[in-house]
Amino acid sequence: MAVAKTNINAIYAALEDCMYISLCKVIEKSPSVTPPVYEMPVVENGSRLRQFIALQARSVLILGPRRNPPVPARAATTNSSIPIQTALGFSTLKSEDYVEAVQKLNPDVVLGLADYEYLKRPGVKRLERMGDRTLAWLKEMIDALKANGRRDSNTALFAPILPIDAGQQCHYLEALSQDLARDLSGLVVYEAASIDAIPKELRHLPRLGLTNLSGPRDILHQTSLGIDLFVPSFVGEATDAGLALTFEFPGPVLPKGGQRLVLGIDMWAGTFISDVSPLVADCGCYTCKTHHRAFVRHLLDAKEMLAWVLLQIHNYHVMDVFFASVRQSLSKGMYDNDRKGFERCYERNFPLSTGQGPRLRGYQVKSGPAEPRRNPQAFRQLVDAQEKLAEAPLLSPDANGERIEKQGFAEKLSN
C-alpha cells in the first residue's frame, strides 16, 4: 500500500527477514525442506521475491543479507559465513546459500556479502582478514551470476566498501578497481567516512549507504559527502513511535529570533482526540487527503495496525517530497545554502513519543542482561480474584444465590 500511495521506486529487502533455508531444515528436522519463497510461481526472468512480497514491477528490488540497522548477532564471522538473526533466532548465512538465494530470487540489485559487524570494532587480526573474505565472497557471487548467463541483463551487483581505513583494505580495493570493475554496478558503504577510500576508477558508480541515520540532517550531511542512495530507518522508527513527520526542504524562512520547528508531531497527544484536520496542512498524501488526526489518534489508542500503516504512508510521502527537493536543489547548485537554511529552521532531534508503539518482536531488538521488558505484559492474573478463589470451597450445582454471593462469586444488585 505504501508503494501504491507514494512515488517510492526502490525497496530494500533483507534475506534474513525473507527466509533462511538452513533454519528451515533445523526446524522441520528434514534436509529436504524448501522455503516457501523458493516455491513461488514466476514467469521467465521474473523475481520470486518480488512475487512473494507483492512488489509492483515499477519498483527496484534491492536484496542484502541483513536488515538496516541489523540486530547485533552473537556468532562470529568465519571464512564462509556471517552471523544473522532471523525471525526464529540467531543463525549463520553461508556465502554459498546467499549466492543460491540470489539465483532463485532474482532481485534487481544485490549487495555483496561483507565481513562487517554492526557496532563492533574489529581487532587487529580481524582487520587482516576482512578484505580477503569480502573479496572471496564477491568473486563467488560474480562467478555464479556469470555462470547462469544473467549478469548483464538481470541482477546488478553492488560491492561493499568496508568501514575501515583505506590502507587496511588496499588489496581489496585494488582488486575491485583493476580486476572486478566491469562486473560492478554500484557500491555499498556502511560508514560515510568510507567514501574517501573509494578508488578513483570506481568513483563514477552510484553509492548506497547503509549508515546510521538519526534524522534528515544526517541525510543532508552524507549527501554532501557523496552518498547517493539511502535506507532511512528513522522513518519506520518515527512511525512506530506514532510521529507524523512535518519537515520539508529547505523549509520556511523563520523570523529573526523565531523558534525552530519540530520535525514531527506526536499523534498520541490528547489534543487530537477531536481534531478533524489533516495530519499536516496542505499535505498531498493519501492519509491526509482521506483521514484526519482524530481518526489516526483513535486507531493508535485502539492499537489498530491501520494506525501505523496510515502514518507510514504519510511519513514516506514526506520523505519522497524531501528527496525530490534535495535533487532539485543539487541541480540548481543551491544545495549548500539550502542545507544551512534547513538546519536553521528545524530541530535536530525528533520529539519524544508519549504513547506505546507496536509490539516489539524478538528479532527486532537484542536484549541485554537484566534488561526490563520492552513490551508491557499483555496478560496478567487477577490477583485479588485468584486469592478469593483459592480460599473459597467449590460450589455445588444446587447452590443458591445467597451462597454464591457469600462466597464472593457474585454480588446482589439492589433495585
Side-chain angles (χ1 to χ4, degrees):
M1 188 173 182
V3 174
K5 300 299 181 181
T6 67
N7 292 321
I8 294 172
N9 54 18
I11 299 294
Y12 176 77
L15 186 61
E16 66 180 357
D17 280 333
C18 303
M19 46 65 64
Y20 189 57
I21 188 168
S22 295
L23 193 58
C24 290
K25 293 177 182 178
V26 171
I27 295 171
E28 301 294 338
K29 308 295 184 183
S30 170
S32 61
V33 172
T34 301
V37 67
Y38 283 1
E39 297 180 333
M40 285 295 297
V42 64
V43 298
E44 185 178 358
N45 294 326
S47 170
R48 286 186 172 87
L49 180 56
R50 184 182 297 275
Q51 292 290 106
F52 190 74
I53 63 177
L55 182 63
Q56 296 178 356
R58 68 179 177 88
S59 299
V60 176
L61 177 58
I62 304 173
L63 178 66
R66 304 214 62 193
R67 65 179 67 92
N68 181 56
V71 176
R74 299 171 183 173
T77 302
T78 68
N79 290 335
S80 61
S81 66
I82 66 169
I84 61 173
Q85 181 171 359
T86 70
L88 299 171
F90 289 103
S91 187
T92 57
L93 175 62
K94 292 183 179 179
S95 176
E96 61 187 48
D97 289 339
Y98 187 50
V99 170
E100 179 188 10
V102 172
Q103 292 173 327
K104 291 182 178 293
L105 302 182
N106 195 20
D108 299 312
V109 177
V110 61
L111 309 185
L113 211 59
D115 184 5
Y116 155 72
E117 291 186 31
Y118 181 66
L119 296 180
K120 189 175 181 180
R121 305 307 301 181
V124 176
K125 293 184 178 179
R126 171 82 179 277
L127 285 172
E128 298 174 355
R129 297 191 296 264
M130 290 175 67
D132 294 339
R133 285 173 174 170
T134 304
L135 179 60
W137 296 336
L138 195 62
K139 288 181 177 179
E140 184 178 359
M141 179 68 72
I142 291 173
D143 291 342
L145 293 176
K146 284 183 175 180
N148 284 334
R150 300 166 47 195
R151 176 66 195 95
D152 296 329
S153 59
N154 288 78
T155 303
L157 177 61
F158 278 35
I161 300 297
L162 300 174
I164 56 179
D165 293 339
Q168 296 169 329
Q169 54 179 324
C170 58
H171 173 67
Y172 169 66
L173 295 175
E174 182 180 353
L176 288 184
S177 59
Q178 296 185 7
D179 302 330
L180 306 179
R182 68 179 64 183
D183 298 307
L184 304 179
S185 300
L187 305 171
V188 54
V189 298
Y190 299 93
E191 289 184 3
S194 301
I195 293 283
D196 295 335
I198 298 176
K200 63 180 181 179
E201 295 86 354
L202 303 177
R203 289 190 173 270
H204 65 285
L205 295 176
R207 305 149 190 177
L208 170 65
L210 295 183
T211 55
N212 288 326
L213 299 172
S214 61
R217 285 197 184 193
D218 289 340
I219 290 179
L220 297 176
H221 172 64
Q222 294 182 21
T223 297
S224 67
L225 295 179
I227 294 182
D228 305 303
L229 306 169
F230 295 90
V231 182
S233 59
F234 67 80
V235 181
E237 293 168 359
T239 297
D240 287 349
L243 301 180
L245 303 184
T246 57
F247 57 85
E248 58 184 4
F249 185 80
V253 179
L254 297 179
K256 188 176 182 180
Q259 188 175 4
R260 286 178 174 172
L261 304 178
V262 294
L263 295 173
I265 54 176
D266 179 16
M267 294 306 302
W268 287 94
T271 54
F272 298 142
I273 291 178
S274 58
D275 189 343
V276 293
S277 60
L279 273 62
V280 176
D282 300 324
C283 178
C285 77
Y286 167 82
T287 302
C288 290
K289 291 191 297 183
T290 312
H291 303 289
H292 48 66
R293 293 176 174 182
F295 179 62
V296 174
R297 172 63 173 77
H298 161 72
L299 293 175
L300 286 171
D301 197 45
K303 297 292 191 296
E304 287 284 352
M305 284 307 300
L306 180 58
W308 290 284
V309 172
L310 294 176
L311 278 173
Q312 191 80 322
I313 290 173
H314 167 78
N315 289 342
Y316 274 142
H317 174 80
V318 171
M319 293 304 302
D320 190 18
V321 174
F322 173 82
F323 278 115
S325 300
V326 169
R327 291 191 294 269
Q328 185 178 25
S329 178
L330 287 168
S331 64
K332 292 182 177 179
M334 301 174 60
Y335 180 75
D336 290 337
N337 289 334
D338 288 345
R339 176 188 166 194
K340 293 176 182 177
F342 182 90
E343 293 175 350
R344 287 193 300 267
C345 182
Y346 290 100
E347 297 282 353
R348 172 176 291 275
N349 300 317
F350 288 102
L352 297 177
S353 172
T354 57
Q356 176 70 38
R359 187 170 182 83
L360 294 173
R361 304 300 177 185
Y363 59 88
Q364 293 176 295
V365 293
K366 180 181 179 182
S367 298
E371 187 174 322
R373 288 179 178 268
R374 294 177 182 266
N375 297 309
Q377 192 172 357
F379 302 96
R380 67 182 189 278
Q381 294 178 332
L382 300 176
V383 179
D384 295 339
Q386 183 186 27
E387 292 176 354
K388 289 183 178 180
L389 288 172
E391 296 173 357
L394 295 176
L395 290 173
S396 61
D398 59 347
N400 58 26
E402 183 178 351
R403 184 178 177 185
I404 293 175
E405 180 183 7
K406 184 177 180 181
Q407 292 186 204
F409 288 99
E411 181 180 352
K412 186 177 181 179
L413 300 178
S414 58
N415 294 331

